[in-house]
Amino acid sequence: MRAALAGDGRAYRALLEALTPRLRAIVARALARAGASNADLEDVVQETLLAIHLKRHTWDPSAPLAPWVQAIARNKTIDALRRRGRRIEVDVADFAEILPSAPDRDPTEGGDVERLLGELGERQRDIVRSIGVEERSVRETADRLGMSEGAVRVALHRGLKTLADLYRRSAT
Amino acid sequence: MKTDDLIAALSADAATLEPPLDRAALRFLAFGALVAALLFVTLLGPRHDWRLAIETVHYPLKFVPTALLAVGGVGALLRLARPDGRIGLWGAVLALAVAVLLAAVAVELAMVPSSDWLRLAIGHNAPHCLALIPFLSIAPLAAAVLAARHGASTRPRLTGLVAGLAAAGIGATLYAMNCDDDSPLFVVLWYPLGIAVVAGLGAWAGRRFLVW
């Protein structure tokens, strides 16, 4: 994390990848404790990753990283549970016969972020997708969209911030 | 979107790092305190006989609990603004502010004949005190809430309340320079009412603005 805070993108990526399985475990435990199903697990993990990213300046480099990560994950799980509390849940088993069988979904696929991406401006959505899903570099994305690299960076950052805002607003 | 894809997008954004919490927060708070101090100097100013008053026991004593409230409040706020933050020893500083004031009250009650208690407690600045402490705390409160917003509190209402205490500590310290009711009996009766207004506002603002 220290290298990541110094702006080392590769170290940062490695850190987030290493944190993700631990986040899954923390979130799964918190969901289980609340007696909730694991259906939203990956959504909560993704929301937590986004929060870790946007709030990483609140980690005190002289303190251990784990409690900080845990506090964010737990907080985001509670947000998600609150959000879900406002939705009516029906047991899918009751409708098993009339529902078409669900297509096999990648378990690391998040539904929330996809839905919220749809609410971003077209440009920001393009950029987040291009760099995330299509694994293009900032430069390739800039070339493809006819923008400067700096403008792509700014739009990416704004897009991620807006995503976090959308999560929050869907929680209230 | 897959989690790996999200991580790719996040790490492409690695360079946009906001300033560390403590530094940014202290900058906000210093600015808020400066605005309050400027308002104080232009609209109120210290009481005219402050040079004499500073030689007494009562006048300087007023600043001990208010300064402790400001310091303890700011310290606790910086802690609570982090997701994993705990108040820790700063809670003891806040408790010390209360203890010092109560000790001063006890001494005053012992030294002054009981026929004077009511006169000293009522003073002649009570409405001023009730209005001016919140007034002088507005800019510090806005600054404290902005500072906490830069952080990420997992307890927004408590953090807002502590932001209110920190702001009221600054506001009350400034107001105490102007007020000529110096008896601890006056301070213990009226200051907490003004401070409570600010703390309540802070708690409300916390629920409203410190959710992330």
Side-chain angles (χ1 to χ4, degrees):
Chain A
M1 186 63 150
R2 281 186 195 94
L5 289 182
D8 180 343
R10 203 163 308 162
Y12 188 43
R13 182 165 190 162
L15 170 81
L16 292 180
E17 280 168 355
L19 278 180
T20 302
R22 289 172 66 180
L23 289 178
R24 284 200 191 100
I26 297 168
V27 173
R29 221 178 309 131
L31 285 173
R33 207 177 309 134
S37 80
N38 258 347
D40 295 343
L41 174 65
E42 205 64 19
D43 282 332
V44 181
V45 168
Q46 293 188 356
E47 191 184 350
T48 306
L49 281 168
L50 187 62
I52 285 177
H53 174 66
L54 292 174
K55 291 295 184 183
R56 63 197 189 282
H57 59 276
T58 67
W59 174 59
D60 173 1
S62 67
L65 186 60
W68 180 82
V69 166
Q70 253 180 37
I72 293 181
R74 239 181 274 132
N75 201 48
K76 288 297 155 196
T77 310
I78 292 167
D79 282 356
L81 287 169
R82 230 176 256 156
R83 196 154 59 220
R84 187 152 48 163
R86 290 203 183 77
R87 285 203 299 249
I88 300 162
E89 285 212 353
V90 285
D91 190 347
V92 186
D94 296 346
F95 301 89
E97 282 162 28
I98 54 169
L99 284 174
S101 62
D104 283 339
R105 210 179 67 156
D106 185 326
T108 72
E109 186 85 41
D112 280 353
V113 72
E114 201 58 45
R115 183 169 48 78
L116 296 176
L117 269 176
E119 292 183 38
L120 285 185
E122 199 181 328
R123 195 27 79 88
Q124 289 180 354
R125 184 171 58 229
D126 258 10
I127 288 170
V128 174
R129 280 241 173 79
S130 171
I131 293 171
V133 184
E134 293 152 28
E135 294 271 344
R136 288 204 177 90
S137 68
V138 171
R139 170 164 309 170
E140 285 166 340
T141 304
D143 287 346
R144 190 170 63 89
L145 296 175
M147 296 167 72
S148 74
E149 272 187 59
V152 168
R153 282 182 205 284
V154 170
L156 173 66
H157 187 63
R158 292 229 178 102
L160 295 174
K161 273 189 129 159
T162 313
L163 267 185
D165 284 343
L166 290 169
Y167 269 113
R168 188 171 56 236
R169 232 168 297 154
S170 65
T172 50
Chain B
M1 192 180 207
K2 287 184 205 153
T3 302
D4 282 344
D5 299 338
L6 179 66
I7 290 177
L10 298 181
S11 42
D13 191 38
T16 57
L17 181 63
E18 309 217 15
L21 177 64
D22 282 356
R23 201 197 312 156
L26 286 173
R27 215 174 280 165
F28 273 122
L29 286 164
F31 184 73
L34 185 70
V35 171
L38 285 176
L39 280 174
F40 175 78
V41 170
T42 48
L43 297 177
L44 296 165
R47 58 196 257 193
H48 60 87
D49 62 344
W50 67 272
R51 269 172 228 277
L52 290 173
I54 211 142
E55 310 281 330
T56 66
V57 175
H58 276 136
Y59 182 75
L61 187 64
K62 291 194 294 183
F63 299 103
V64 178
T66 61
L68 283 172
L69 180 65
V71 171
V74 168
L77 180 67
L78 293 181
R79 289 292 193 83
L80 286 175
R82 296 182 192 278
D84 54 341
R86 301 199 191 292
I87 292 186
L89 278 177
W90 295 106
V93 177
L94 291 173
L96 188 62
V98 178
V100 167
L101 179 56
L102 292 181
V105 168
V107 172
E108 180 87 342
L109 288 178
M111 310 263 287
V112 175
S114 59
S115 53
D116 279 346
W117 291 356
L118 195 63
R119 182 182 58 80
L120 288 171
I122 299 298
H124 38 275
N125 274 323
H128 259 120
C129 175
L130 284 182
L132 288 176
I133 288 182
F135 170 72
L136 290 169
S137 305
I138 290 173
L141 179 62
V145 170
L146 281 173
R149 225 176 123 77
H150 185 69
S153 170
T154 50
R155 280 172 291 178
R157 203 184 324 204
L158 176 65
T159 308
L161 183 115
V162 168
L165 290 179
I170 296 170
T173 303
L174 290 171
Y175 171 72
M177 293 190 221
N178 173 271
C179 178
D180 56 12
D181 284 312
D182 293 340
S183 168
L185 301 183
F186 179 89
V187 176
V188 79
L189 186 60
W190 302 106
Y191 279 49
L193 288 175
I195 291 165
V197 170
V198 185
L201 256 173
W204 170 83
R207 290 260 314 147
R208 181 97 175 60
F209 300 112
L210 297 183
V211 179
W212 47 286

